[in-house]
């Protein structure tokens, strides 16, 4: 007999023995199941009995047990009765598990109850919101995602609700976000004609887009990426998951730009310095940079001694010298452009090449200048801000949102392109962007997440690309290599060293002689102020 036949016969014998054992022990299994159910019933009754009644109940049970023991054949009859009852109880099928309630039946009643104090009025004869009401009376349509989270909701509200007051709407939005989950962003669309509020949960923006060369025209700067509903334009991007297309937030600069300067506000770690690096790498393709690092953290040290970068200053002395040179350069460019236009000649190249002034936290240098009795660096920005569009000079400032009041009025009025990064109160966002947002930010925002408003356009969500500092050794190597690949390099074997700035920059005929500031090309990183 072969081994396979032995194994097959062994399996058959084991199966037959198991079936016989199951048939033999079936009554015992039945009785055990019934006893377990009796015990569960007794435990539930005991827990449901109040504490003050448990003593008399226990005394009555003991008296009944003694009575049964005193009866002729009482213990035997009690055991037989218990076994028969257990066998009968064990025959009952196992109770089916109650289905889980729908997400709408769990979350929407709580939201309805939370909105009732704000949308109900005692004098309303037929209120939409009342303490004993149902959420179906006020909510017209809703949907949930696969995780059971609210995806969309249409809320009706009474006509007497003051939906034109921002404070009243902010209360309702705060309640809805609190009940729907503060981990996501929500768009609130108030239909004041029909007294309807449409709530939509927004999908998170991609965070895995590294720095790269964007498909844009000269003068266009990619600030980041937004929702596909906010723009019809798509550009190709290389992401961690593979190539794809994303909707960009484009800032158009140049002599015909309506918003030639930009102001970025945020908090520590929100990504304002990352935004400056993103803009600087794109500006270096067709222009020159002048960087002022007022915080002195060395976030822009990767631009030191790069072709096209005039200087990277961190000290007050160097910043004043560099900004004074920038003001004189703006005057020189204006004079050269006016002279060329007067003679009917093409504008000189050195006057049309874009010049970018990147300032990171300039208010810290302003406070230091005030303490030392020296000129405010922000005052030197007035000329580039006022005539920068004609002179091809663009000013980009990154500052803390708490220090917005310390910015000069000229800077706040001229920088009409605004970016706010990080999580802030809706009132702070309204003040920074100039208009109220229809999106309530999440409680926790990743670095580089915020909102952008260019000119009179409505604000849009924004996710800045991961343009990290390549000198940060703790950053992922993939992101560092992406930034290093975009930095302009000088190969001394095949290229001559870049000439320093001329002592006397070219001037148009009739223009006043200008002296560049001493040390305009000096790089002073980490020098104590």
């Amino acid at each position: 007999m072969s081994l396979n036949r032995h194994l097959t016969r062994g399996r058959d014998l084991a199966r037959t023995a198991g079936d016989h054992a199951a048939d033999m022990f079936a009554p015992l299994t039945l009785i055990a199941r019934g006893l377990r159910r009796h015990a569960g019933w007794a435990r539930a009754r005991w827990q449901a009995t109040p504490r003050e009644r448990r003593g008399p109940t226990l005394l009555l049970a003991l008296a009944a047990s003694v009575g049964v023991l005193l009866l002729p054949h009482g213990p035997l009859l009690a055991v037989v009765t218990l076994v028969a009852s257990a066998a009968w109880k064990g025959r009952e099928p196992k109770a089916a598990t109650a289905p889980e309630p729908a997400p709408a039946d769990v979350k929407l009643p709580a939201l309805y109850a939370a909105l009732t104090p704000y949308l109900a009025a005692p004098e309303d004869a037929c209120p939409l919101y009342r303490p004993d009401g149902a959420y179906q009376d006020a909510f017209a349509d809703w949907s949930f995602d696969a995780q059971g989270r609210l995806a969309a909701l249409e809320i009706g509200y009474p006509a007497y609700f003051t939906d034109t007051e921002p404070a009243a709407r902010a209360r309702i939005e705060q309640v809805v976000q609190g009940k729907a989950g503060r981990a996501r962003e929500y768009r609130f669309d108030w239909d004041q004609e029909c007294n309807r509020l449409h709530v939509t949960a927004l999908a998170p923006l991609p965070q895995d887009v590294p720095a790269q060369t964007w498909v844009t025209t000269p003068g266009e700067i990619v600030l980041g990426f937004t929702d596909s509903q906010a723009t019809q334009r798509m550009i190709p991007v290389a992401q961690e998951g593979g190539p794809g297309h994303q909707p960009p937030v484009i800032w158009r600069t140049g002599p015909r730009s309506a918003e030639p300067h930009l102001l970025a506000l945020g908090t520590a770690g929100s990504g304002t310095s990352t935004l400056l690096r993103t803009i600087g790498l794109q500006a270096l393709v067709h222009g020159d940079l002048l960087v002022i690092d007022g915080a002195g953290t060395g976030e822009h040290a990767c631009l030191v001694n790069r072709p096209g970068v005039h200087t990277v200053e961190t000290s007050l002395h160097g910043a004043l010298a560099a900004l004074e040179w920038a003001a004189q350069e703006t005057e020189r460019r204006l004079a050269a452009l006016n002279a060329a236009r007067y003679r009917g000649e093409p504008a000189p190249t050195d006057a049309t090449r874009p010049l970018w002034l990147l300032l990171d936290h300039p208010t810290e240098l302003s406070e230091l200048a005030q303490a030392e009795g020296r000129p405010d660096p922000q005052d030197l920005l007035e000329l580039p801000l006022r005539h920068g569009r004609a002179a091809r000079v663009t000013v980009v400032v990154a500052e803390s949102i708490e220090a917005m009041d310390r910015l000069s009025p000229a800077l706040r009025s001229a920088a009409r392109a605004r970016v706010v990064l990080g999580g802030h109160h809706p009132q702070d966002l309204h003040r920074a962007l100039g208009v109220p947002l229809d999106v309530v930010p999440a409680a926790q925002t990743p670095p580089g997440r915020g909102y952008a408003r260019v000119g009179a356009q409505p604000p849009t969500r924004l996710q800045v690309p991961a343009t990290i500092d390549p000198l940060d050794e703790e950053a992922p190597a993939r992101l560092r290599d992406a930034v290093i690949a975009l930095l302009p390099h000088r190969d001394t074997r095949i290229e001559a060293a870049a000439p320093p700035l001329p002592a006397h920059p070219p001037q148009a005929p009739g223009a006043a002689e200008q002296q560049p500031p001493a040390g305009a090309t000096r790089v002073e990183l980490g020098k104590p102020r």
Side-chain angles (χ1 to χ4, degrees):
M1 185 179 294
S2 62
L3 179 61
N4 290 336
R5 294 187 62 184
H6 278 294
L7 293 176
T8 303
R9 186 175 180 182
R11 283 196 299 268
D12 294 341
L13 291 176
R15 189 180 298 110
T16 302
D19 294 341
H20 286 301
D23 294 339
M24 182 174 60
F25 292 105
L28 296 178
T29 305
L30 190 68
I31 294 172
R33 187 186 305 120
L35 291 175
R36 186 171 61 253
R37 292 180 179 178
H38 279 322
W41 173 82
R43 187 185 305 107
R45 288 298 301 270
W46 177 259
Q47 294 177 352
T49 304
R51 291 183 177 275
E52 62 274 7
R53 296 180 56 186
R54 289 183 179 181
T57 302
L58 184 60
L59 182 61
L60 182 60
L62 291 176
S65 301
V66 171
V68 171
L69 290 175
L70 296 178
L71 288 177
H73 309 288
L76 179 60
L77 293 176
V79 172
V80 172
T81 303
L82 180 61
V83 171
S85 175
W88 181 263
K89 191 68 176 178
R91 292 179 64 253
E92 296 180 2
K94 186 177 181 180
T97 304
E100 295 183 0
D105 296 333
V106 176
K107 298 184 177 182
L108 295 186
L111 177 58
Y112 178 86
L115 291 175
T116 299
Y118 301 97
L119 299 176
E123 61 274 9
D124 193 350
C126 185
L128 279 176
Y129 294 87
R130 55 185 184 275
D132 58 345
Y135 68 88
Q136 292 87 350
D137 299 336
F139 301 160
D141 189 17
W142 56 81
S143 61
F144 291 82
D145 57 13
Q147 289 77 27
R149 300 180 301 177
L150 183 65
L153 177 64
E154 182 179 346
I155 302 175
Y157 56 89
Y160 51 78
F161 175 71
T162 55
D163 55 359
T164 58
E165 298 180 2
R169 290 187 297 182
R171 285 197 302 267
I172 300 301
E173 294 173 357
Q174 184 179 6
V175 171
V176 173
Q177 187 190 26
K179 293 299 180 181
R182 298 185 181 277
R184 295 181 297 168
E185 295 176 281
Y186 297 89
R187 174 171 281 113
F188 293 87
D189 183 12
W190 292 84
D191 187 358
Q192 299 180 3
E193 295 181 356
C194 301
N195 296 329
R196 312 297 294 181
L197 171 60
H198 301 273
V199 183
T200 306
L202 302 178
L205 298 177
Q207 306 179 37
D208 58 343
V209 180
Q212 55 195 281
T213 302
W214 313 112
V215 181
T216 57
T217 59
E220 290 185 341
I221 299 296
V222 176
L223 300 178
F225 300 94
T226 183
D227 304 301
S228 57
Q229 296 83 7
T231 179
Q232 298 180 354
R233 182 172 177 178
M234 305 287 285
I235 61 173
V237 298
Q239 299 177 249
E240 187 175 0
H245 290 76
Q246 294 292 341
V249 178
I250 298 294
W251 174 38
R252 292 176 176 85
T253 62
R256 289 180 174 81
S257 173
E259 299 80 24
H261 310 295
L262 182 139
L263 173 61
L265 301 171
T267 56
S270 61
T272 53
S273 297
T274 301
L275 177 62
L276 286 186
R277 279 192 296 270
T278 301
I279 296 175
L281 291 178
Q282 299 177 66
L284 277 176
V285 178
H286 303 286
D288 299 329
L289 292 185
L290 189 152
V291 184
I292 305 295
D293 187 3
T297 57
E299 289 285 339
H300 310 285
C302 60
L303 298 174
V304 174
N305 294 330
R306 299 288 181 178
V309 180
H310 288 302
T311 181
V312 177
E313 296 290 347
T314 61
S315 66
L316 176 60
H317 174 74
L320 290 175
L323 293 178
E324 184 179 356
W325 174 86
Q328 296 175 0
E329 175 68 9
T330 303
E331 293 181 352
R332 185 196 67 81
R333 288 175 174 232
L334 288 175
L337 292 173
N338 290 334
R341 192 180 299 110
Y342 178 78
R343 293 192 301 266
E345 299 176 355
T349 305
D350 60 346
T352 57
R353 181 172 175 81
L355 175 63
W356 292 74
L357 308 181
L358 306 184
L359 292 90
D360 198 349
H361 292 78
T363 57
E364 298 190 15
L365 294 177
S366 299
E367 295 178 356
L368 184 60
Q370 183 179 4
E372 297 182 0
R374 307 185 68 177
D376 190 347
Q378 296 187 58
D379 295 340
L380 299 175
L381 288 174
E382 185 173 354
L383 189 62
L385 288 172
R386 185 182 304 170
H387 302 288
R389 178 170 53 183
R392 278 73 168 175
V393 178
T394 303
V395 179
V396 181
V397 177
E399 189 53 77
S400 174
I401 194 170
E402 291 84 3
M404 184 177 177
D405 294 334
R406 299 200 297 269
L407 295 174
S408 64
L411 177 58
R412 282 180 291 177
S413 61
R416 299 181 63 246
R418 298 290 181 90
V419 173
V420 181
L421 301 179
H424 304 283
H425 193 273
Q427 294 181 356
D428 295 334
L429 294 174
H430 182 188
R431 180 166 166 268
L433 296 174
V435 293
L437 275 176
D438 60 350
V439 177
V440 176
Q444 300 293 334
T445 57
R449 179 70 55 82
Y451 305 93
R453 182 173 184 246
V454 181
Q457 299 180 3
T460 58
R461 300 170 69 203
L462 174 68
Q463 176 63 52
V464 179
T467 313
I468 55 92
D469 183 7
L471 303 181
D472 184 7
E473 298 180 355
E474 298 180 358
R478 179 181 62 89
L479 301 179
R480 295 170 56 191
D481 294 340
V483 177
I484 293 175
L486 297 178
L487 289 172
H489 296 273
R490 180 187 299 114
D491 191 345
T492 56
R493 296 172 299 178
I494 58 176
E495 298 180 7
L501 289 178
H504 300 278
Q507 301 181 9
E513 183 179 357
Q514 302 172 0
Q515 295 293 336
T521 58
R522 183 180 61 256
V523 178
E524 299 179 3
L525 287 173
K527 182 177 179 180
R529 299 191 299 269

